[in-house]
Amino acid sequence: MTLKLIQVGLGMHGFGVALHFVKASEDFRYAGVAEINPDRLKNCAAELGVPEENCFTDYKEAFAALEADAVFVTAASPYHYEICKAALEQGLHVLVEKPFVLDIGEACELVGLAKQKGLILMVSQNYRYQNHVLSLKNAIGEVGQPLFVQAQFFYDHFGKDYQQVMDNFMLLEMAVHHVDMIRYLFESNIKSVSGKTWNIEGSMYKGHPNVQASMELDNGMPVFYLGSLVSKGLSSPWEGEWRIQCQEGSIHLGDLGQGYGVYIVDAQQNKRFISYENGPLPDSKQGIHSVLAEFAARIQDGGEPALSGRDNLHTLAALIAFSDSAKTGSVSYPATYIK
Ligand SMILES: NC(=O)c1ccc[n+]([C@@H]2O[C@H](COP(=O)([O-])OP(=O)(O)OC[C@H]3O[C@@H](n4cnc5c(N)ncnc54)[C@H](O)[C@@H]3O)[C@@H](O)[C@H]2O)c1
């Protein structure tokens, strides 16, 4: 059965998602689109082939007027909470771009609302369906048990208007991917966090664009993270650069000579590059393709998505815990944020 989707927000990422992923999906067809900027709405809808009568500048009007099963929220992050809430109240299943919302209390409220209404609420943590990340996960165990992890990410990003004024900008817009990766790779939540966030002189951002954090996972493993969105010079690929130190060797996501990808180095310094020629996923299932497929499958069978809002509370709580730890100078415990 093809499900009817309303997409809200057709900005730079939202329109790309519409064109390359929603239009390519066999699971969804457009009931309509909503975008607050009328010129953008008109131009994007024309390219997507959505008829004018199914286009709205007010998402609440779209939810009330259109016959639909689900909403994909790709609007700017500060509006995720109000749009998700309105969609759930209208009885629509929701897929929302990362960051789920900006506030952990609001996230808990939405998870409760979806449960009460019997609706799917899912967060598009698309990196969990990227070959780099899947291969890194598959490599764990190849050189003994993981002992500790270091991950880093550097980029010089020109912030969108909403990003320039956002609190916790780096944490919520970018580190959200890497922190969700940590939880996914090691199938463990983050028990405690000691973090530092900071700005630089002349920065365009109000919220801190740099973050450094030491974490301990529920399984006891230490993880060290350094991320920056104001670093000129050499940029990291989006998934970052990783070293997973294991008992008998090290596993890397980075470029150790044969291009960016996963490498395994054993105790004798033998280096093996993991090629993605045969997967894990074909291009047609990378990232948001698989997110949409999972969303459709869970709408149909009513099961809990791997990327559920409930699961994502643990990613968001860890990020808020980083921020609080940076403000107070003491250790924060993500689980205590989830009510
Ligand atoms: N998963 C990923 O890899 C990834 C990558 C990039 C961006 N994102 C996320 O996607 C979201 C959108 O990012 P973007 O780069 O497109 O931002 P953008 O600023 O380019 O676009 C945001 C769009 O939302 C629209 N909008 C704002 N309020 C609205 C409302 N109330 N109703 C309808 N439309 C509204 C704006 O007019 C704008 O067109 C953000 O949450 C961002 O974090 C995710």
Side-chain angles (χ1 to χ4, degrees):
M1 187 179 85
T2 312
L3 298 158
K4 297 184 279 306
L5 186 74
I6 302 171
Q7 187 175 344
V8 182
L10 295 169
M12 197 179 283
H13 180 67
F15 181 59
V17 163
L19 208 53
H20 303 298
F21 296 95
V22 178
K23 287 294 276 181
S25 167
E26 289 174 1
D27 298 309
F28 293 99
R29 69 178 170 79
Y30 275 120
V33 290
E35 162 56 57
I36 204 165
N37 175 332
D39 293 336
R40 182 114 196 132
L41 175 67
K42 196 167 174 231
N43 295 337
C44 292
E47 276 203 56
L48 294 170
V50 178
E52 222 171 288
E53 62 272 23
N54 296 356
C55 299
F56 294 80
T57 48
D58 181 336
Y59 63 85
K60 285 190 180 162
E61 279 179 26
F63 298 167
L66 295 166
E67 198 193 303
D69 301 293
V71 173
F72 190 178
V73 182
T74 53
S77 309
Y79 308 101
H80 287 185
Y81 167 70
E82 63 185 55
I83 301 169
C84 289
K85 188 170 177 186
L88 292 169
E89 281 172 344
Q90 191 73 36
L92 296 160
H93 300 286
V94 171
L95 170 63
V96 56
E97 257 304 342
K98 63 39 69 175
F100 180 5
V101 289
L102 308 189
D103 177 274
I104 188 71
E106 290 176 350
C108 293
E109 181 199 330
L110 292 177
V111 169
L113 181 59
K115 186 173 177 203
Q116 181 205 327
K117 297 261 185 188
L119 295 164
I120 302 294
L121 171 60
M122 195 173 133
V123 183
S124 182
Q125 295 283 177
N126 50 322
Y127 285 25
R128 289 202 201 182
Y129 292 112
Q130 309 281 31
N131 276 349
H132 293 312
V133 179
L134 291 163
S135 294
L136 188 60
K137 187 170 168 67
N138 287 344
I140 295 171
E142 294 257 347
V143 276
Q145 208 173 314
L147 302 172
F148 59 88
V149 179
Q150 179 181 288
Q152 57 184 28
F153 173 83
F154 303 96
Y155 202 81
D156 185 24
H157 178 69
F158 191 90
K160 307 260 166 71
D161 290 352
Y162 80 85
Q163 292 176 328
Q164 293 185 25
V165 295
M166 226 177 123
D167 284 339
N168 295 322
F169 154 65
M170 165 63 187
L171 284 170
L172 292 172
E173 289 292 280
M174 195 61 228
V176 61
H177 284 298
H178 305 131
V179 168
D180 193 67
M181 274 173 74
I182 292 166
R183 294 187 48 243
Y184 172 65
L185 291 169
F186 301 102
E187 294 175 13
S188 184
N189 286 325
I190 293 159
K191 185 162 82 186
S192 63
V193 166
S194 174
K196 178 177 162 64
T197 65
W198 69 100
N199 215 331
I200 57 165
E201 221 181 298
S203 150
M204 66 170 69
Y205 299 106
K206 170 180 161 271
H208 292 177
N210 296 303
V211 54
Q212 175 267 322
S214 304
M215 294 160 246
E216 185 185 343
L217 305 190
D218 277 346
N219 66 15
M221 198 169 62
V223 179
F224 305 94
Y225 176 72
L226 175 61
S228 172
L229 279 167
V230 285
S231 287
K232 297 189 197 309
L234 190 65
S235 298
S236 308
W238 294 116
E239 293 91 341
E241 292 145 330
W242 295 65
R243 178 185 179 114
I244 303 173
Q245 184 58 51
C246 305
Q247 265 167 337
E248 305 300 333
S250 54
I251 303 170
H252 304 258
L253 177 59
D255 185 351
L256 303 195
Q258 287 169 265
Y260 180 72
V262 175
Y263 295 79
I264 300 173
V265 184
D266 69 16
Q268 287 71 44
Q269 304 294 305
N270 298 307
K271 184 174 71 184
R272 181 156 58 95
F273 176 62
I274 311 288
S275 152
Y276 307 151
E277 251 169 51
N278 301 310
L281 288 175
D283 286 350
S284 61
K285 293 199 170 152
Q286 289 286 305
I288 297 168
H289 290 302
S290 280
V291 171
L292 284 168
E294 187 193 347
F295 187 41
R298 299 295 83 82
I299 291 173
Q300 315 259 21
D301 69 16
E304 166 123 358
L307 299 180
S308 67
R310 197 174 66 84
D311 174 84
N312 204 262
L313 292 178
H314 296 276
T315 293
L316 187 61
L319 295 163
I320 304 296
F322 280 30
S323 167
D324 284 353
S325 169
K327 284 181 201 142
T328 62
S330 49
V331 177
S332 297
Y333 297 88
T336 62
Y337 290 73
I338 300 173
K339 310 281 184 227

